Amino acid sequence: MNRWLRVVLPSWQTVFMLTILLQLLVMLPDFYSLWRFSHFRRLGLEPPVEFYKLAAHMPMIVAVIYGAYRAVAFNPAVRPEYRRWLERTPWTSDRPLPLGPITLVAQDFVILVGLMLLAACPSMAFHDQLIIERVVEGFFGGYLLFGGAVLASKKETHFAFVIGIGLGAILRTSQSPIVCGTTCFLTYAVMALGIRQSLRRFPWTDPESDEPWMLKLPNDTGSSVASRFGWPMYALSAKWRPAESLRTGWDGFYLSLLLGWWWYASNWLITENAISSGRQLDLPTPMLMLVVGAAILMRLATYCVERWPPISLWGRIRSRRWIIPGYDKVLIAPLINLALVVGFGMWLKNITRTHSDPKHWIDLYVGPVFLTLNLLIAFCAPPSIRNFHLTGSYRLVYANKGPTSVKVG
Amino acid sequence: MIELTDVTHHYGVRPVLKQVSLRIETGELVAVVGPNGMGKSTLLGVMGGALSPVEGSVAIDGRRRKGSEEEELEIRRRTLYLPDQPWLPGFRTVREYLLSVGRLYDIPDSRLFEHVERLLELFELMPQADQPISGLSAGQKKKVALSSALLTDVSTLLLDEPFSGGLDPAGLLALKRILRHRVTSQKATIVLTSPVPEIIEEIADRVLILRDGQIVAFDSVNGLRQSTGLSGSLGDILERLLYPETADKLTKYFQEPTQ
């Protein structure tokens, strides 16, 4: 049994360390009591009820961690040394992976059932049926989230997008066990297809660091392509590629839709919980604005950090060149974003004044649409970073000097 | 061939280049000279694509710089711009860096390895070939940067102050010979800046003299002699065209103060 399970389980040292860590977390109130009153569980000072709730959720937390671990542990896409070794072997995708499977196997279900039994254990003070189901959701959530991200990094964008939609659907259907379980299973089926497709393309070529012309060296680990060539050698070469920091094109389109969908699904869950517990929920508008603000800043940084305006602001004012079309085109998208934010804020102010309780539908429907629209503009509006880099009127500067860059002269 | 049409540029308020128009033919070595801060590096930056002129346009081999993605990519494949103070990856060894640059410009490996060895030998960098660039002296770093530019097969080289930055006499000699060789036997177009008239006189086909962001003269050294009516060296011509007040200042400086 032990040997059979070893196919998927992490090493016993990892399991032991994780158990200790989680146990320490559960015993936090005891340690507090020991520090404050010099002995465990001083009479009259019971730990808050949340700690027991946390203890009851431990099997679910372990399931999330295990799911994430299963998605990446034996995946050559996230283990460079394993991948390099595998590239030198006659391995093909119709054979099992040497270190262990990425798709789920019978052993995973044994471990999952074990965790569910633990969650159902009568000694768990706050156990109920939902916590048992949360173990399943947690496992698939962790597995699909990390697995989907790995697939996205390997350019299996369509599969990653469907998995992302599935993750949102798991959140959205989490109150109905059968629908949620079916969603988990269907999303997993897509993930399994994606993994198969991805392994079929092995050995992979990464767009940025695995170009055939790239001189691959052991000391390149962690260094960006630009830093390997200095400045301005790479920035002015025909082989310049945008960094992956800003997802554009289909990636940006999918990401915008996904984030909107996740926003809706998580809001729905939060609202449901708030209604069932009889609590009043505040509008998540500030957080929404924060996300949109971050997207605007990310776009501006990607376009403008290394590409400054050809003349200074003072120069513009003095020479009355208010607008430089070749450069200022990058500011159009952020300005539209800003106008939408201001417009949305004003509309929100107006609607809360005229309607007695509009919060519920704004959170659930207007917020996600607003977010998606803004992200679509931030990620996909022209010009693309490639187009701006090649045709924009800017002054190229070396803004991302690393500690290893040396200046000549 | 490089063609500039009415190029005007300013960073702040003061114009650095004022409606500069010029044409540099294929297979020509042009040296840009002029006092400090008069637009030499800006002119090269504009040609190299690191700067975009506020007005005017640059065309290289008939393609407009930043005109379209395709035109710009084609220019980039054929052009290399090396600024006065480039940055190099300190963690890489000299050999690794040169090989990387060669790959970046699609030099076939067979030729690349052999060319890197020859350049290392020529610039006396062989003992440092497998050392990280960060440990090199200023002159050696300059040699590495120049080697990276010379390694490529590009037809247009734009070099800002290639003879400055601590190059030793052997390095200077080697660079002069290589640049002339690229022009005569490979029909490369080279534009460089240098403050040393003797070097320019030795290697340049034509000299572009800039002052206050405008072209004062653009001719061969002999052509400049004829147009100025001077028979001396390029240094004498530059003194007349660019620094007429310097002779007076020197005379004043050496004059004994009267009691």
Side-chain angles (χ1 to χ4, degrees), chain A residues 65-385:
Chain A
I65 296 170
Y66 180 67
Y69 163 81
R70 280 293 285 115
V72 297
F74 309 119
N75 202 328
V78 284
R79 295 177 65 174
E81 283 177 19
Y82 178 34
R83 175 182 160 179
R84 276 197 286 272
W85 172 78
L86 205 59
E87 281 170 357
R88 294 191 202 104
T89 67
W91 180 85
T92 50
S93 63
D94 52 343
R95 296 177 189 182
L97 278 163
L99 287 191
I102 311 173
T103 47
L104 301 183
V105 288
Q107 287 90 327
D108 294 308
F109 291 100
V110 171
I111 289 163
L112 204 56
V113 167
L115 286 170
M116 286 162 76
L117 287 174
L118 196 65
C121 179
S123 65
M124 292 286 186
F126 288 85
H127 86 279
D128 57 21
Q129 197 195 356
L130 264 184
I131 288 176
I132 299 168
E133 287 151 19
R134 293 278 180 269
V135 171
V136 180
E137 288 165 23
F139 170 75
F140 277 103
Y143 179 76
L144 294 168
L145 183 68
F146 280 80
V150 174
L151 281 181
S153 76
K154 290 291 140 217
K155 292 289 159 199
E156 298 294 348
T157 318
H158 305 293
F159 283 106
F161 176 66
V162 178
I163 292 165
I165 294 286
L167 274 166
I170 292 171
L171 273 182
R172 176 64 182 80
T173 58
S174 58
Q175 303 288 4
S176 1
I178 295 169
V179 183
C180 184
T182 314
T183 311
C184 286
F185 178 76
L186 287 176
T187 313
Y188 168 69
V190 175
M191 171 106 166
L193 279 175
I195 291 170
R196 211 168 129 190
Q197 169 81 11
S198 168
L199 289 177
R200 246 189 228 149
R201 289 195 302 103
F202 190 85
W204 301 300
T205 49
D206 285 341
E208 199 185 45
S209 57
D210 276 356
E211 293 279 6
W213 53 269
M214 192 80 72
L215 187 71
K216 289 178 215 163
L217 297 165
N219 56 5
D220 287 338
T221 320
S223 61
S224 71
V225 175
S227 72
R228 295 180 215 171
F229 291 96
W231 185 88
M233 191 61 82
Y234 182 66
L236 287 175
S237 79
K239 288 200 166 72
W240 177 88
R241 297 278 179 280
E244 296 268 312
S245 57
L246 186 77
R247 298 271 170 183
T248 52
W250 278 111
D251 284 0
F253 178 75
Y254 282 155
L255 192 62
S256 310
L257 294 187
L258 269 186
L259 289 176
W261 169 236
W262 287 347
W263 191 268
Y264 161 75
S266 49
N267 253 339
W268 185 88
L269 197 67
I270 292 166
T271 313
E272 281 295 304
N273 282 338
I275 290 168
S276 62
S277 62
R279 278 179 290 166
Q280 184 70 27
L281 196 72
D282 287 322
L283 277 174
T285 315
M287 208 193 278
L288 199 66
M289 299 298 190
L290 211 67
V291 175
V292 174
I296 297 173
L297 285 178
M298 208 166 89
R299 182 181 170 107
L300 279 175
T302 307
Y303 279 79
C304 304
V305 164
E306 292 206 311
R307 287 163 280 266
W308 289 10
I311 52 178
S312 65
L313 184 65
W314 180 237
R316 277 196 199 214
I317 295 165
R318 285 290 302 272
S319 62
R320 293 184 185 172
R321 287 181 205 276
W322 304 109
I323 293 171
I324 303 167
Y327 186 83
D328 294 340
K329 60 185 175 183
V330 285
L331 304 175
I332 293 172
L335 284 174
I336 294 174
N337 278 130
L338 217 58
L340 278 174
V341 167
V342 172
F344 183 67
M346 286 166 71
W347 175 80
L348 211 60
K349 201 175 169 186
N350 189 39
I351 205 94
T352 43
R353 206 171 45 219
T354 51
H355 289 68
S356 55
D357 188 22
K359 291 171 182 177
H360 183 70
W361 63 271
I362 289 176
D363 283 352
L364 272 187
Y365 306 110
V366 182
V369 171
F370 171 76
L371 180 68
T372 306
L373 191 66
N374 272 289
L375 293 180
L376 277 173
I377 293 165
F379 292 153
C380 305
S384 68
I385 181 70

Side-chain angles (χ1 to χ4, degrees), chain B residues 176-187:
Chain B
K176 282 191 289 188
R177 294 275 172 86
I178 293 182
L179 292 179
R180 266 328 302 177
H181 174 79
R182 290 286 287 257
V183 170
T184 50
S185 60
Q186 294 172 12
K187 289 281 169 214

